Amino acid sequence: MYEMLLFRDGGSMSEKQQHRNKKITVTIDNKQCDGVYGETILDIARRNDIYIPTMCYLTKVSPIAACRMCAVEVEGVDGLILSCQEKAVDGANIKTNNNEIEKHRVNIMKMYDVNHPLQCGVCDKSGECDLQNKNLEFKVQSQEFAVKDMQRKEKKWGILGYDPSLCIMCEKCVHTCNEVIGTAALYIKPGGYKSTIDIKMSRCEQCGDCISVCPVGALVSNAYKYKANAWEADQVPASCSHCSAACELVYDIKHAGIDNPYESKITRVKNDFEFSTLCGAGRFGFEFENKNQENTQEDFNKAVQQIKDANTIKFNSYITNEEAYILQKLKEELGIKLVNNDAKNYQTFMNEYSSITGKLLYSATNKTVSQSDLIIMIGTRISRDNPAVKYNVNIATKKQKAEFVYMHPIDDIALANKYTQFVKYEAGAEEAVLAMLANTLIENIPSELKAYFDDLDIGNLSGDSSVGEEELEEISRRQIRRKNKTLIIGTDIFGHKNVKNIAKLVALIDLYTDFNILVIPSATNTLGVSLICDLDEQEDGHVVGYNVKGDYTIASYGDCDFNVPALNQQEGTFTSLDLKVLNTNAALPFKGWCLNDIANEILTNKEEYTINYTKLLPQSKGYKGISFDSLDNGFDKYGNDLRGYLLENIKTKQNLANLDDITDLDSYNGTVIYRCEPLHQFNAATAKSLLLQSDSHLRGSASFATAAKIKAGDKVEIHFDGQVKVKTFKVDKNIKGTIALYPTFDNGLVDDKITNNYRYKQVKIQKVEV
């Protein structure tokens, strides 16, 4: 019956499969162009460098077909057709321009210009406005008709501003919000000529991608409005430093003002909206440069001596690959310890994973996720941990009609309209859940592992984890006939006490199923640090902290003993979750010293500049010995990210060692907290941004409040691991169950034990009596 299902152009499903990779040839403007069955005329034209103008077309979403600017003629077809949505037919003869098409496009522009305010001198979009560009292109210099103007009030939607009098109703913002971001916060409020864009604020994530795709000045950042013109700014290409996606972005830089004409500031962040997407942290969290640059020569000498006297350098993963390499060289030359609990946990996972798979790296990327038709995600509150992955999950559910199985102890309202199955398990049960998942997904268990899986007490594991056997059967059913499958492993896993055995179970799924595996690094450069540095378990003796608290602290966040540049003041590279080495550039100057200056007073083999280490990154770990200045920026016309290069997935020694027995679950009863940051907050850098202000409440459900004997607004002490933290409690109706969300982004340089270890903690909560 499945084989006989019909698709839109009249063929059966089996015929559709046959057509999928069929080559076709069309003629566009007398040029013969090769294509593939299913491609649109516009796709083929663009790939062959044939220009067809558009106003509403956006590469990363489905054809909108609102502007009709892309109309072309096809021989044998009456009238003009829209090249953005019309599939090319083998042998077609197409004309993209002639007098009739030109007249059609000019008339479209005149319609767009009807009563469009001539505010170009002050409009934030002036100088990079698609409407301006098209008016010049089609030489529209007069307007023969008009419509009675209406009063259209400007609106403020949080950080976003909308001016309906400037809006041309191209619908790019609506499609992006729905198809990429996945919130469907923006929608069209119909009314003919009175139609506008409107918003459901309760759904809006304030990511600002709608600003990026808007071709005119209708959608803007309220903070940026009237602050600068496009032509005033210098543009610095870079990579976002807030999470491991390291998304492409561009800093707009201009002088700080009349009072500081020789100082620079970042006025806004942009991106190549055709191919990439930024979350709110990437777009609005740019104000994190280190302004404390008043170190003296005496301060520098002391910092050098502190490193020489150190027994341990403790650091976090918000650093470049080059900084990580310098720290490794200091360890080797001085014989000191390097401690980074976050990267060490990830390193431990990947080492065990590699021992089973025989390859250094995992197999999936964000692109893999976006092309998947089945996604299983475990161990991450992804909308907070890594928005880029969430966007690609949404793209898969929209474009590939992907099944999405979300497994976590806490439901996530941000994913509620995306997942097809939510599997709730007990905190601490990740090992048991992955053992059952491996048993479910591996259809032909090899003989050497059969005894292990036969001995699994599924009934007992199901009872302890609260994952029903019928839920596993449902997962098994969902993978039938699915061809592009991805398993996403999140940050919860790496701090688990049985992380080594969990890694082996995940590796078996990689090895013996057709699932691709994405192991999301928890911080910006967790993957890079784990590959470059030989990390130790425990700190000893005199501890120098690098971006974390130590006996002596060197940091880019201020509030420290010695200041170094922040990540928007440095050149260097990150190793992203897409397994790419991505270059970033300094947007702002730093007048003091950096880590490399300190190292050059200590190391035998020195490098004048930090970026000289880019070509020295270890090739045994997949790096390619390419110099920093040889790395490109931006995207090509096909949407390929030109930044950096892809790591080589080095073969490793394969050792199908015995798996460990699944241990009894730790009990997480009573009051339990889960480390989870607010939307668009990741660390001390995002906490500094004036546009990303978030509260740091302990958030929980009404049932959590009852269990903890507290109420909304109470100031409470949270006791765990010998620490006491004070937070204000807030009831969040979107959170279910008895686990509260505990943020750490506002802790600055404090190195909380919860930050780099297992994200769930059983705690004691006491109300602070006023």
Side-chain angles (χ1 to χ4, degrees):
M1 185 174 181
Y2 176 83
E3 293 296 328
M4 293 305 294
L5 290 174
L6 298 181
F7 58 99
R8 190 169 62 181
D9 53 0
S12 68
M13 184 63 72
S14 58
E15 289 171 347
K16 187 176 182 180
Q17 295 289 342
Q18 293 170 12
H19 277 301
R20 207 160 253 169
N21 296 313
K22 180 183 176 183
K23 304 291 185 185
I24 63 173
T25 301
V26 298
T27 302
I28 305 178
D29 293 341
N30 300 318
K31 179 180 179 180
Q32 186 170 301
C33 303
D34 294 329
V36 177
Y37 177 84
E39 284 188 306
T40 65
I41 294 171
L42 183 61
D43 289 335
I44 297 174
R46 286 192 168 189
R47 197 174 60 255
N48 285 273
D49 296 322
I50 297 172
Y51 173 66
I52 299 176
T54 64
M55 281 293 290
C56 73
Y57 185 78
L58 189 59
T59 305
K60 64 185 180 184
V61 301
S62 58
I64 300 170
C67 73
R68 312 190 71 81
M69 182 74 69
C70 68
V72 296
E73 279 187 358
V74 178
E75 189 175 277
V77 178
D78 292 335
L80 301 179
I81 64 171
L82 303 185
S83 64
C84 70
Q85 64 177 9
E86 190 68 29
K87 302 293 191 296
V89 177
D90 191 33
N93 186 14
I94 300 158
K95 296 293 183 185
T96 69
N97 206 359
N98 56 31
N99 290 337
E100 182 181 349
I101 297 173
E102 181 79 7
K103 183 179 179 181
H104 168 80
R105 290 171 180 162
V106 168
N107 285 334
I108 288 173
M109 291 309 305
K110 289 180 178 180
M111 288 295 294
Y112 274 138
D113 290 340
V114 170
N115 293 333
H116 188 91
L118 300 176
Q119 300 172 347
C120 299
V122 294
C123 178
D124 293 319
K125 202 69 176 181
S126 184
E128 53 187 13
C129 172
D130 209 11
L131 193 67
Q132 277 184 341
N133 293 341
K134 290 295 192 301
N135 276 318
L136 291 170
E137 179 181 346
F138 294 111
K139 300 179 178 59
V140 178
Q141 300 174 346
S142 63
Q143 184 61 279
E144 289 85 5
F145 49 89
V147 176
K148 183 179 179 180
D149 203 2
M150 297 180 300
Q151 185 177 8
R152 301 180 187 231
K153 293 183 179 180
E154 295 184 33
K155 301 177 182 180
K156 286 191 176 181
W157 299 329
I159 206 167
L160 313 175
Y162 175 59
D163 186 346
S165 68
L166 296 176
C167 181
I168 62 172
M169 295 299 291
C170 68
E171 304 177 28
K172 285 182 178 180
C173 58
V174 174
H175 280 252
T176 299
C177 192
N178 181 33
E179 296 182 32
V180 179
I181 307 303
T183 59
L186 296 177
Y187 66 97
I188 299 167
K189 189 175 182 179
Y193 182 61
K194 298 180 181 179
S195 296
T196 61
I197 304 298
D198 211 340
I199 193 169
K200 297 174 183 176
M201 281 300 295
S202 61
R203 295 184 180 181
C204 182
E205 291 186 354
Q206 301 279 282
C207 67
D209 205 46
C210 53
I211 295 172
S212 178
V213 302
C214 182
V216 292
L219 278 162
V220 296
S221 162
N222 290 325
Y224 177 76
K225 194 171 184 180
Y226 304 142
K227 295 295 192 300
N229 295 113
W231 56 84
E232 292 181 290
D234 293 324
Q235 300 190 334
V236 178
S239 299
C240 183
S241 61
H242 295 320
C243 83
S244 57
C247 298
E248 174 268 346
L249 57 77
V250 174
Y251 292 111
D252 263 15
I253 314 297
K254 65 171 288 188
H255 61 81
I258 296 174
D259 295 333
N260 300 291
Y262 302 109
E263 297 291 330
S264 298
K265 68 175 182 179
I266 301 172
T267 58
R268 63 173 171 173
V269 164
K270 300 187 294 184
N271 63 307
D272 191 328
F273 58 83
E274 284 285 347
F275 306 116
S276 69
T277 299
L278 287 176
C279 73
R283 191 173 307 282
F284 301 120
F286 53 80
E287 300 164 301
F288 61 94
E289 72 272 16
N290 190 358
K291 297 178 181 178
N292 300 301
Q293 304 178 22
E294 304 304 321
N295 293 321
T296 65
Q297 183 66 50
E298 183 179 349
D299 294 330
F300 176 71
N301 294 339
K302 185 175 181 180
V304 171
Q305 192 59 48
Q306 286 286 329
I307 294 286
K308 289 180 177 179
D309 294 341
N311 303 103
T312 303
I313 297 178
K314 190 173 185 178
F315 64 108
N316 65 20
S317 300
Y318 296 103
I319 63 173
T320 64
N321 291 320
E322 291 74 18
E323 289 175 286
Y325 189 81
I326 292 169
L327 292 174
Q328 177 63 22
K329 283 172 66 70
L330 289 169
K331 173 188 173 76
E332 293 168 358
E333 188 142 332
L334 298 176
I336 59 177
K337 288 188 172 184
L338 281 186
V339 173
N340 178 325
N341 292 329
D342 157 64
K344 180 63 175 176
N345 291 339
Y346 190 85
Q347 188 179 71
T348 299
F349 181 97
M350 288 306 302
N351 285 345
E352 294 298 325
Y353 176 92
S354 299
S355 71
I356 299 292
T357 62
K359 52 190 179 183
L360 184 67
L361 305 168
Y362 47 83
S363 50
T365 64
N366 263 320
K367 186 174 182 179
T368 312
V369 173
S370 70
Q371 296 175 344
S372 299
D373 54 16
L374 173 63
I375 299 168
I376 300 176
M377 178 186 290
I378 182 170
T380 173
R381 197 167 173 87
I382 196 64
S383 57
R384 269 49 175 175
D385 292 346
N386 203 297
V389 175
K390 190 204 81 167
Y391 299 156
N392 282 282
V393 169
N394 185 66
I395 290 169
T397 61
K398 294 287 185 182
K399 291 189 175 181
Q400 314 302 332
K401 308 300 181 187
E403 300 264 14
F404 175 31
V405 181
Y406 179 52
M407 310 181 79
H408 203 268
I410 311 170
D411 198 356
D412 186 351
I413 191 172
L415 300 179
N417 65 341
K418 298 173 183 59
Y419 59 68
T420 45
Q421 183 181 358
F422 172 56
V423 179
K424 181 178 180 180
Y425 58 83
E426 296 295 325
E430 287 84 1
E431 182 188 25
V433 173
L434 277 159
M436 292 188 291
L437 197 58
N439 185 64
T440 299
L441 300 179
I442 301 174
E443 295 180 355
N444 298 308
I445 296 174
S447 56
E448 62 268 27
L449 295 173
K450 195 171 188 309
Y452 178 84
F453 283 101
D454 285 346
D455 288 343
L456 286 177
D457 188 342
I458 299 298
N460 185 54
L461 294 177
S462 174
D464 286 348
S465 66
S466 296
V467 176
E469 293 181 59
E470 69 282 356
E471 292 180 288
L472 296 169
E473 290 171 2
E474 180 71 5
I475 292 173
S476 179
R477 184 194 66 78
R478 290 186 186 283
Q479 70 168 330
I480 297 173
R481 294 198 180 103
R482 297 287 168 171
K483 297 183 180 299
N484 300 314
K485 309 171 190 176
T486 303
L487 172 63
I488 300 174
I489 303 297
T491 304
D492 298 4
I493 305 297
F494 313 133
H496 195 284
K497 66 176 183 178
N498 297 325
V499 62
K500 291 183 178 180
N501 201 46
I502 294 174
K504 293 175 186 176
L505 292 165
V506 173
L508 290 177
I509 296 173
D510 187 349
L511 199 60
Y512 295 115
T513 75
D514 53 358
F515 273 81
N516 291 300
I517 310 295
L518 176 61
V519 185
I520 302 176
S522 42
T524 303
N525 206 21
T526 299
L527 177 55
V529 172
S530 70
L531 291 173
I532 295 166
C533 295
D534 178 16
L535 298 169
D536 298 287
E537 295 276 359
Q538 299 289 335
E539 61 196 71
D540 282 333
H542 182 63
V543 178
V544 171
Y546 191 65
N547 286 331
V548 299
K549 280 290 186 185
D551 299 318
Y552 181 87
T553 303
I554 301 170
S556 61
Y557 303 133
D559 188 27
C560 60
D561 298 299
F562 187 80
N563 287 285
V564 290
L567 288 174
N568 59 1
Q569 297 168 300
Q570 293 189 58
E571 292 180 311
T573 59
F574 305 127
T575 308
S576 76
L577 67 82
D578 286 329
L579 307 176
K580 288 194 72 176
V581 181
L582 300 175
N583 44 311
T584 191
N585 295 292
L588 297 172
F590 184 80
K591 298 175 183 177
W593 290 276
C594 65
L595 178 64
N596 189 51
D597 296 321
I598 298 173
N600 281 343
E601 298 295 315
I602 301 170
L603 297 174
T604 303
N605 296 316
K606 314 174 193 301
E607 293 292 342
E608 184 178 2
Y609 301 110
T610 301
I611 56 172
N612 289 355
Y613 286 107
T614 305
K615 63 185 178 185
L616 301 178
L617 297 174
Q619 295 185 31
S620 62
K621 299 296 184 179
Y623 295 93
K624 294 186 177 178
I626 299 173
S627 67
F628 180 84
D629 289 334
S630 297
L631 302 177
D632 290 325
N633 294 290
F635 290 82
D636 66 15
K637 63 182 179 181
Y638 306 118
N640 296 311
D641 192 347
L642 299 177
R643 293 174 301 156
Y645 59 85
L646 191 66
L647 284 171
E648 183 180 350
N649 201 349
I650 303 291
K651 289 184 177 180
T652 60
K653 185 176 180 180
Q654 195 171 17
N655 178 23
L656 296 177
N658 292 330
L659 294 164
D660 300 328
D661 291 333
I662 308 302
T663 59
D664 293 335
L665 270 64
D666 289 337
S667 176
Y668 285 87
N669 298 319
T671 49
V672 178
I673 61 173
Y674 173 69
R675 178 174 60 79
C676 181
E677 312 302 346
L679 185 66
H680 302 149
Q681 291 288 355
F682 293 94
N683 49 49
T686 53
K688 290 174 69 174
S689 174
L690 300 176
L691 301 180
L692 294 177
Q693 294 301 298
S694 305
D695 67 60
S696 59
H697 291 107
L698 177 70
R699 292 176 177 266
S701 65
S703 57
F704 178 90
T706 301
K709 298 179 180 179
I710 57 177
K711 63 182 185 298
D714 283 349
K715 186 172 286 189
V716 298
E717 289 182 344
I718 306 166
H719 298 252
F720 62 93
D721 294 341
Q723 299 185 80
V724 179
K725 299 293 180 182
V726 177
K727 296 275 185 186
T728 300
F729 178 70
K730 189 172 187 177
V731 173
D732 190 328
K733 294 179 180 179
N734 294 322
I735 302 173
K736 309 298 181 184
T738 55
I739 300 175
L741 306 185
Y742 174 87
T744 62
F745 75 98
D746 59 325
N747 288 339
L749 294 171
V750 176
D751 185 35
D752 269 325
K753 291 182 180 179
I754 193 174
T755 303
N756 295 316
N757 292 308
Y758 191 55
R759 295 173 78 177
Y760 297 91
K761 292 285 183 184
Q762 189 166 335
V763 300
K764 178 182 178 182
I765 293 183
Q766 291 181 330
K767 180 179 175 181
V768 176
E769 299 297 338
V770 180

